[in-house]
Amino acid sequence: MKTEINLLPIQIHKKKRKKFLKKNPFLSIVLGTIVLFLIVYGILSVMNQNRLEEIKQVEEVIKDQSGCQIPYENLTAQNELLAYREKLLEVMNLNKEMPLKVLVGVQDAVPSGTEIVDYQFKENVLILAGNTRNQEEILEFRKDLMVSGIFENVIIQNTIKKQITQGANNDAIGNAKKENVWDFIFEIELLGVEAS
Protein backbone atom coordinates (compact mmCIF):
# COMPACT_ATOMS: atom_id res chain seq x y z
CA MET A 1 0.00 0.00 0.00
CA LYS A 2 1.02 3.21 -0.88
CA THR A 3 0.91 6.01 1.58
CA GLU A 4 1.44 9.52 0.79
CA ILE A 5 3.27 11.50 3.21
CA ASN A 6 3.00 15.21 3.14
CA LEU A 7 6.17 16.76 4.39
CA LEU A 8 4.89 20.27 4.12
CA PRO A 9 3.71 21.91 7.30
CA ILE A 10 0.02 22.12 7.75
CA GLN A 11 -1.36 25.60 8.34
CA ILE A 12 -4.66 25.25 10.00
CA HIS A 13 -4.71 28.66 11.70
CA LYS A 14 -4.61 30.67 8.49
CA LYS A 15 -7.64 29.00 7.18
CA LYS A 16 -9.46 29.77 10.38
CA ARG A 17 -8.61 33.47 10.12
CA LYS A 18 -9.77 33.69 6.59
CA LYS A 19 -12.92 31.92 7.48
CA PHE A 20 -13.42 34.19 10.50
CA LEU A 21 -13.06 37.43 8.45
CA LYS A 22 -15.21 36.00 5.70
CA LYS A 23 -17.92 35.13 8.17
CA ASN A 24 -17.93 38.67 9.74
CA PRO A 25 -17.62 41.32 6.99
CA PHE A 26 -18.80 44.00 9.46
CA LEU A 27 -15.80 43.31 11.64
CA SER A 28 -13.44 43.66 8.67
CA ILE A 29 -15.03 47.05 7.79
CA VAL A 30 -14.68 48.25 11.38
CA LEU A 31 -11.05 47.13 11.53
CA GLY A 32 -10.31 48.81 8.18
CA THR A 33 -11.96 52.01 9.36
CA ILE A 34 -9.96 52.01 12.59
CA VAL A 35 -6.71 51.49 10.70
CA LEU A 36 -7.60 54.28 8.25
CA PHE A 37 -8.58 56.59 11.14
CA LEU A 38 -5.26 55.93 12.90
CA ILE A 39 -3.32 56.69 9.71
CA VAL A 40 -5.24 59.94 9.07
CA TYR A 41 -4.98 60.95 12.74
CA GLY A 42 -1.22 60.38 12.68
CA ILE A 43 -0.80 62.48 9.52
CA LEU A 44 -2.97 65.30 10.91
CA SER A 45 -1.18 65.31 14.26
CA VAL A 46 2.20 65.61 12.48
CA MET A 47 0.85 68.47 10.32
CA ASN A 48 -0.63 70.16 13.40
CA GLN A 49 2.69 69.94 15.21
CA ASN A 50 4.45 71.54 12.23
CA ARG A 51 1.93 74.41 12.12
CA LEU A 52 2.26 75.00 15.86
CA GLU A 53 6.02 75.30 15.42
CA GLU A 54 5.53 77.84 12.61
CA ILE A 55 3.06 79.84 14.76
CA LYS A 56 5.57 79.94 17.63
CA GLN A 57 8.25 81.23 15.27
CA VAL A 58 5.94 83.96 13.94
CA GLU A 59 4.96 84.97 17.50
CA GLU A 60 8.64 85.29 18.42
CA VAL A 61 9.24 87.52 15.40
CA ILE A 62 6.23 89.67 16.37
CA LYS A 63 7.50 89.98 19.95
CA ASP A 64 10.90 91.05 18.66
CA GLN A 65 9.32 93.77 16.48
CA SER A 66 6.73 94.93 19.01
CA GLY A 67 8.71 98.11 19.73
CA CYS A 68 8.34 99.22 16.10
CA GLN A 69 4.58 98.78 15.93
CA ILE A 70 1.95 101.43 16.62
CA PRO A 71 -0.41 100.52 19.45
CA TYR A 72 -3.92 100.01 18.13
CA GLU A 73 -5.70 99.86 21.47
CA ASN A 74 -7.47 103.20 21.14
CA LEU A 75 -7.94 103.24 17.38
CA THR A 76 -11.46 104.67 17.50
CA ALA A 77 -10.37 107.42 19.88
CA GLN A 78 -7.47 108.27 17.61
CA ASN A 79 -9.78 108.39 14.57
CA GLU A 80 -12.14 110.74 16.41
CA LEU A 81 -9.22 112.93 17.40
CA LEU A 82 -8.00 113.11 13.80
CA ALA A 83 -11.49 113.98 12.54
CA TYR A 84 -11.77 116.74 15.17
CA ARG A 85 -8.33 118.05 14.20
CA GLU A 86 -9.31 118.19 10.52
CA LYS A 87 -12.49 120.11 11.39
CA LEU A 88 -10.46 122.50 13.54
CA LEU A 89 -7.99 123.11 10.70
CA GLU A 90 -10.86 123.81 8.29
CA VAL A 91 -12.39 126.32 10.70
CA MET A 92 -9.02 127.97 11.29
CA ASN A 93 -8.38 128.27 7.56
CA LEU A 94 -11.88 129.64 7.06
CA ASN A 95 -11.22 132.28 9.71
CA LYS A 96 -7.95 133.22 7.99
CA GLU A 97 -9.72 133.80 4.68
CA MET A 98 -12.72 135.57 6.23
CA PRO A 99 -11.01 138.92 7.03
CA LEU A 100 -9.73 139.15 3.47
CA LYS A 101 -13.19 138.43 2.02
CA VAL A 102 -14.74 140.96 4.38
CA LEU A 103 -12.26 143.70 3.49
CA VAL A 104 -12.70 143.05 -0.22
CA GLY A 105 -16.48 143.27 0.28
CA VAL A 106 -16.10 146.57 2.15
CA GLN A 107 -13.75 147.95 -0.51
CA ASP A 108 -16.26 147.09 -3.25
CA ALA A 109 -19.06 148.86 -1.40
CA VAL A 110 -17.21 152.08 -0.44
CA PRO A 111 -18.62 155.14 -2.26
CA SER A 112 -16.13 157.40 -4.05
CA GLY A 113 -16.17 160.25 -1.50
CA THR A 114 -15.92 158.00 1.56
CA GLU A 115 -12.71 157.32 3.47
CA ILE A 116 -12.21 154.34 5.83
CA VAL A 117 -10.17 155.40 8.85
CA ASP A 118 -10.15 152.29 11.10
CA TYR A 119 -11.48 148.74 11.30
CA GLN A 120 -11.44 146.05 14.00
CA PHE A 121 -12.55 142.40 14.02
CA LYS A 122 -14.19 141.25 17.25
CA GLU A 123 -15.54 137.65 17.15
CA ASN A 124 -18.15 137.81 14.36
CA VAL A 125 -18.41 141.60 14.23
CA LEU A 126 -16.48 144.15 12.19
CA ILE A 127 -16.29 147.67 13.63
CA LEU A 128 -15.71 150.09 10.77
CA ALA A 129 -14.94 153.81 11.22
CA GLY A 130 -14.69 156.36 8.45
CA ASN A 131 -15.71 159.78 7.18
CA THR A 132 -17.51 161.23 4.19
CA ARG A 133 -18.71 164.60 2.92
CA ASN A 134 -22.44 164.11 3.33
CA GLN A 135 -24.89 161.98 5.24
CA GLU A 136 -26.43 160.44 2.10
CA GLU A 137 -23.14 158.70 1.29
CA ILE A 138 -23.27 157.01 4.71
CA LEU A 139 -26.73 155.61 3.95
CA GLU A 140 -25.64 154.58 0.45
CA PHE A 141 -22.57 152.83 1.91
CA ARG A 142 -24.76 150.93 4.42
CA LYS A 143 -27.16 149.89 1.64
CA ASP A 144 -24.29 148.66 -0.58
CA LEU A 145 -22.85 146.63 2.32
CA MET A 146 -26.23 144.95 2.96
CA VAL A 147 -26.67 144.10 -0.74
CA SER A 148 -23.18 142.51 -1.02
CA GLY A 149 -24.34 139.28 0.71
CA ILE A 150 -21.25 138.97 2.92
CA PHE A 151 -22.75 140.79 5.88
CA GLU A 152 -25.75 139.75 7.94
CA ASN A 153 -26.56 143.10 9.50
CA VAL A 154 -25.07 146.61 9.27
CA ILE A 155 -25.84 148.93 12.19
CA ILE A 156 -24.92 152.61 12.16
CA GLN A 157 -23.59 153.18 15.66
CA ASN A 158 -22.68 156.82 15.45
CA THR A 159 -22.53 159.75 13.02
CA ILE A 160 -20.95 163.10 13.91
CA LYS A 161 -20.83 166.23 11.79
CA LYS A 162 -17.49 168.10 11.92
CA GLN A 163 -16.27 171.26 10.25
CA ILE A 164 -12.76 171.28 8.86
CA THR A 165 -11.01 174.41 7.68
CA GLN A 166 -8.89 173.90 4.60
CA GLY A 167 -6.60 176.53 3.18
CA ALA A 168 -3.05 177.53 2.33
CA ASN A 169 -1.14 178.67 5.41
CA ASN A 170 1.48 180.49 3.34
CA ASP A 171 -1.16 182.65 1.66
CA ALA A 172 -1.06 186.20 3.03
CA ILE A 173 -4.74 186.74 2.39
CA GLY A 174 -5.58 183.44 3.99
CA ASN A 175 -8.10 181.93 1.61
CA ALA A 176 -9.74 179.57 4.03
CA LYS A 177 -12.56 177.26 3.07
CA LYS A 178 -14.81 175.49 5.59
CA GLU A 179 -16.07 172.02 4.70
CA ASN A 180 -18.50 169.69 6.46
CA VAL A 181 -17.31 166.14 7.18
CA TRP A 182 -19.41 163.33 8.64
CA ASP A 183 -17.64 160.76 10.81
CA PHE A 184 -19.42 157.41 11.11
CA ILE A 185 -19.03 154.10 12.88
CA PHE A 186 -20.62 150.90 11.56
CA GLU A 187 -21.09 147.67 13.49
CA ILE A 188 -21.24 144.93 10.87
CA GLU A 189 -22.26 141.35 11.71
CA LEU A 190 -20.55 138.86 9.42
CA LEU A 191 -22.62 136.24 7.63
CA GLY A 192 -21.82 132.58 8.33
CA VAL A 193 -19.32 133.18 11.14
CA GLU A 194 -20.22 131.93 14.60
CA ALA A 195 -19.10 133.75 17.69
CA SER A 196 -16.36 131.91 19.55
Side-chain angles (χ1 to χ4, degrees), residues 14-29:
K14 286 185 179 179
K15 292 181 182 176
K16 288 182 181 178
R17 280 187 192 167
K18 288 183 181 178
K19 289 181 182 176
F20 180 74
L21 290 176
K22 286 183 182 178
K23 287 182 182 177
N24 292 326
F26 177 73
L27 185 61
S28 63
I29 293 173

Side-chain angles (χ1 to χ4, degrees), residues 120-176:
Q120 295 177 359
F121 284 101
K122 293 182 182 178
E123 295 178 358
N124 68 333
V125 176
L126 170 67
I127 307 294
L128 191 66
N131 57 43
T132 186
R133 294 183 194 152
N134 57 33
Q135 204 171 15
E136 290 81 22
E137 288 180 355
I138 296 172
L139 296 174
E140 179 185 336
F141 186 30
R142 180 186 180 279
K143 178 183 162 193
D144 289 344
L145 287 173
M146 290 296 292
V147 171
S148 69
I150 300 174
F151 310 108
E152 188 172 329
N153 194 8
V154 179
I155 300 169
I156 300 174
Q157 277 190 343
N158 194 4
T159 58
I160 299 172
K161 182 179 181 181
K162 293 183 178 180
Q163 278 192 338
I164 297 177
T165 304
Q166 291 181 345
N169 291 337
N170 62 358
D171 193 356
I173 304 172
N175 291 334

